[in-house]
Amino acid sequence: MALSVQRPKGTNDMIPSEANKWRTVEQAARDCAERFGFREIRTPAFEETGLFVRSVGDTSDVVTKEMYTVSSKGEHTFTLKPEGTAGVVRAMLENGLMNEGFPQKVYYITPCFRHEKPQAGRLREFHQFGVEMFGTSSPYADADVIMLAREVLSTCGIESVKLNINSIGCPECRKKYQEALVEYFSARKDDLCETCLERLGKNPMRLLDCKVPKCAEIAKDAPVILDYLCDDCREHFEKLKAILDEYKVEYTVNPKIVRGLDYYTKTVFEFVYDGIGAQGTVCGGGRYDGLVSSLGGQPTAALGFGMGLERLIMTMEGEGVDFLDPHVPDIYFAPMGEKAYSVASKLCQDLRAEGYSAEFDIVGRGLKPQMRYANKIGAKFCCVLGDNEIESGQAKLKNMRTGDETPVNLDDFKNGFVPVLLDDMFELEGISE
Ligand code: ATP
Ligand code: MG
C-alpha cells in the first residue's frame, strides 16, 4: 500500500539504526564544549519574526528568501529559527544573564529551518551545534572558539578539513571598503544578477557571497577588506593569527569569506571539507560585536560558530571514520511457556534495576525465531528458559559472540552473582558496555 503522507521535502527522519551517528556527534560536541567551559542553553524553536530580521539582516539570503514564517491569529508573525544566535542573544538579555559577569559562554544543539532548494547537505530542517561567547573582545577568545570547533572535528575523527579565516572589520573600516565595492561593482552592473543589483544599494558586501556563477566570477577580482582594516581591527587579526601559529593551528587567510549573516564584525572563519562538494562548509562562525546592542542590550563584544551536524556526519562518512557502537542489550531471555515468561519478566526488571539492559521475548514466538531476534538486536548474552530450567533453577548463559555456554543458577541473577559474572565476561571478551 502506498503511504498517503510523506515527509516534507528537505527533511530527514532519524531512524534508530542511525541513532549512533547522532549520538557520536552530539556527545563529541557536548564533551568538547563543556571542556572549554560552555554551558548548555535551549531556546524556543520559533521567535518573533522581527528578531531575525533585525539580527540576521534584511538583505541576507536567510531573511529575504529562506524563512518559514507563520502568522498566529493575526497577532504577531513568528518564524521557525533559521539559525541559533539570535534566539540565544534574546534569551541572554531577557533572563538577565548579561548582568551576571563576563564572559558568558553557552552552547546548544538545535534544529534550524530554512526554505532552500534541497540537495545533499542542504536541507530545510537541519541541525546545528553552536556556541556563543559574550563579553570579551580579546583575540584569545576568537582563538578559543576556533580551537573548540577544531576539537569537535578532531574528536569526530576528522583531520582533513581546512580552516579559512578573514577579518571583515568594524563599521568604521567597512565604510571606506563599501565605497570601493560600490565603485567596483557599479562599473560591472550589466553582468550582475537582479538580487545583486538590489544588494548594491543596500549592502554591497553581500555581493561577495552571491552563488550565481557570473556574479561569483566578478567578485573574484573585487577589492579585499583586508586592505581597508582600521588599526584596531588589523591588530586584532594579527594577534589572532599569532595565537593560531603558536598553537600550530593551520589556516588560510581567505579575504573572500564574508559569511552569510549580516551581524559579523572582525573575525570570520569557516571549516571546509572538500569531499562533500558545494556544501562543504561544515562550520562557520566569527565575531559579532554589534549584535547585542542592536537587540537592545548594552554594547557587548560577542562571538561564536554554528556547525551543521548533517554535514559533520556526511564528512565522517566521507572520511570513513567510526561512529560510537550502537546500543545493544546486555542480555536477552528466551522464555518458553507461561511460567518461564513471568520468570523472564521478573529477571529483566531485576537486572534493569541493577543498571543492565535486559530484554525478553514479548511477542510469544518459538525458540528459533527468538534466537534470530536476539542475534539481530545484537544481544551480548542469551539465556533460554524452558520448563526444565524453571523447575531445576539451573540455566545456561550463552555468550552470543563466542557461542560459549556457562551454567548459572537462576537465583544468582538476583543475588548479584550473575551480574558480576556478566561483567567479568564483558571484560574478558573486550565487550564494551
Ligand atoms: P552555506 O553557504 O552552505 O549556505 P551558510 O553560510 O548559510 O552556509 P551558516 O548560516 O553559517 O551557513 O550556518 C552554519 C552551518 O550550518 C553551515 O556551515 C552548515 O554546516 C550548516 N548549514 C547551513 N545551512 C544548511 C542547510 N540548509 N542544510 C544543512 N546544513 C546547513
Ligand atoms: Mg546558506
Side-chain angles (χ1 to χ4, degrees), residues 61-62 66 114 116 122 211 260 311:
D61 276 358
V62 168
E66 297 170 2
R114 296 184 190 181
E116 304 205 61
R122 193 170 293 285
K211 294 191 170 79
R311 290 190 196 176

mmCIF file of all heavy atoms in Angstrom, residues 61-62 66 114 116 122 211 260 311, ligand 2:
data_model
loop_
_atom_site.group_PDB
_atom_site.id
_atom_site.type_symbol
_atom_site.label_atom_id
_atom_site.label_comp_id
_atom_site.label_asym_id
_atom_site.label_seq_id
_atom_site.Cartn_x
_atom_site.Cartn_y
_atom_site.Cartn_z
ATOM 1 N N ASP A 61 20.366 36.343 2.515
ATOM 2 C CA ASP A 61 19.568 35.302 1.862
ATOM 3 C C ASP A 61 18.583 34.704 2.843
ATOM 4 O O ASP A 61 17.435 34.433 2.513
ATOM 5 C CB ASP A 61 20.487 34.169 1.366
ATOM 6 C CG ASP A 61 21.084 34.504 0.015
ATOM 7 O OD1 ASP A 61 20.745 35.585 -0.524
ATOM 8 O OD2 ASP A 61 21.882 33.698 -0.492
ATOM 9 N N VAL A 62 19.066 34.475 4.068
ATOM 10 C CA VAL A 62 18.228 33.813 5.061
ATOM 11 C C VAL A 62 16.925 34.592 5.262
ATOM 12 O O VAL A 62 15.830 34.024 5.228
ATOM 13 C CB VAL A 62 18.987 33.665 6.409
ATOM 14 C CG1 VAL A 62 18.055 33.252 7.522
ATOM 15 C CG2 VAL A 62 20.116 32.660 6.261
ATOM 16 N N GLU A 66 14.663 32.613 2.855
ATOM 17 C CA GLU A 66 14.686 31.272 3.429
ATOM 18 C C GLU A 66 13.845 31.084 4.696
ATOM 19 O O GLU A 66 13.823 30.003 5.247
ATOM 20 C CB GLU A 66 16.146 30.870 3.719
ATOM 21 C CG GLU A 66 16.995 30.799 2.456
ATOM 22 C CD GLU A 66 18.487 30.632 2.706
ATOM 23 O OE1 GLU A 66 18.893 30.518 3.887
ATOM 24 O OE2 GLU A 66 19.250 30.615 1.728
ATOM 25 N N ARG A 114 15.291 26.380 7.103
ATOM 26 C CA ARG A 114 15.496 27.351 6.022
ATOM 27 C C ARG A 114 14.851 26.815 4.758
ATOM 28 O O ARG A 114 15.041 25.648 4.402
ATOM 29 C CB ARG A 114 16.994 27.566 5.758
ATOM 30 C CG ARG A 114 17.721 28.173 6.939
ATOM 31 C CD ARG A 114 19.164 28.458 6.604
ATOM 32 N NE ARG A 114 19.891 28.824 7.811
ATOM 33 C CZ ARG A 114 21.183 29.144 7.843
ATOM 34 N NH1 ARG A 114 21.890 29.139 6.723
ATOM 35 N NH2 ARG A 114 21.762 29.470 8.980
ATOM 36 N N GLU A 116 15.206 26.276 1.486
ATOM 37 C CA GLU A 116 16.235 26.248 0.446
ATOM 38 C C GLU A 116 15.893 25.151 -0.549
ATOM 39 O O GLU A 116 15.016 24.330 -0.301
ATOM 40 C CB GLU A 116 17.596 25.918 1.059
ATOM 41 C CG GLU A 116 18.000 26.854 2.172
ATOM 42 C CD GLU A 116 19.511 26.913 2.328
ATOM 43 O OE1 GLU A 116 20.177 27.309 1.369
ATOM 44 O OE2 GLU A 116 20.002 26.565 3.416
ATOM 45 N N ARG A 122 22.164 20.082 2.100
ATOM 46 C CA ARG A 122 21.395 21.328 2.152
ATOM 47 C C ARG A 122 19.934 20.956 2.351
ATOM 48 O O ARG A 122 19.254 20.514 1.438
ATOM 49 C CB ARG A 122 21.593 22.144 0.865
ATOM 50 C CG ARG A 122 21.074 23.582 0.987
ATOM 51 C CD ARG A 122 21.479 24.445 -0.181
ATOM 52 N NE ARG A 122 22.898 24.702 -0.250
ATOM 53 C CZ ARG A 122 23.544 25.549 0.541
ATOM 54 N NH1 ARG A 122 22.893 26.221 1.474
ATOM 55 N NH2 ARG A 122 24.844 25.724 0.418
ATOM 56 N N LYS A 211 25.964 33.289 -5.076
ATOM 57 C CA LYS A 211 26.341 31.976 -5.610
ATOM 58 C C LYS A 211 26.078 31.876 -7.112
ATOM 59 O O LYS A 211 26.382 30.858 -7.739
ATOM 60 C CB LYS A 211 25.626 30.878 -4.831
ATOM 61 C CG LYS A 211 26.117 30.839 -3.381
ATOM 62 C CD LYS A 211 25.666 29.638 -2.597
ATOM 63 C CE LYS A 211 26.376 29.530 -1.262
ATOM 64 N NZ LYS A 211 25.855 30.424 -0.209
ATOM 65 N N GLY A 260 27.425 34.327 5.633
ATOM 66 C CA GLY A 260 26.093 34.586 5.104
ATOM 67 C C GLY A 260 25.230 35.537 5.923
ATOM 68 O O GLY A 260 24.242 36.040 5.446
ATOM 69 N N ARG A 311 26.083 17.838 7.923
ATOM 70 C CA ARG A 311 27.328 17.925 7.143
ATOM 71 C C ARG A 311 28.488 17.286 7.893
ATOM 72 O O ARG A 311 29.386 16.699 7.287
ATOM 73 C CB ARG A 311 27.649 19.385 6.812
ATOM 74 C CG ARG A 311 26.659 19.958 5.798
ATOM 75 C CD ARG A 311 27.102 21.300 5.272
ATOM 76 N NE ARG A 311 25.977 21.972 4.616
ATOM 77 C CZ ARG A 311 26.024 23.199 4.127
ATOM 78 N NH1 ARG A 311 27.145 23.907 4.212
ATOM 79 N NH2 ARG A 311 24.973 23.733 3.543
HETATM 80 MG MG MG B 2 23.084 29.407 3.244
#
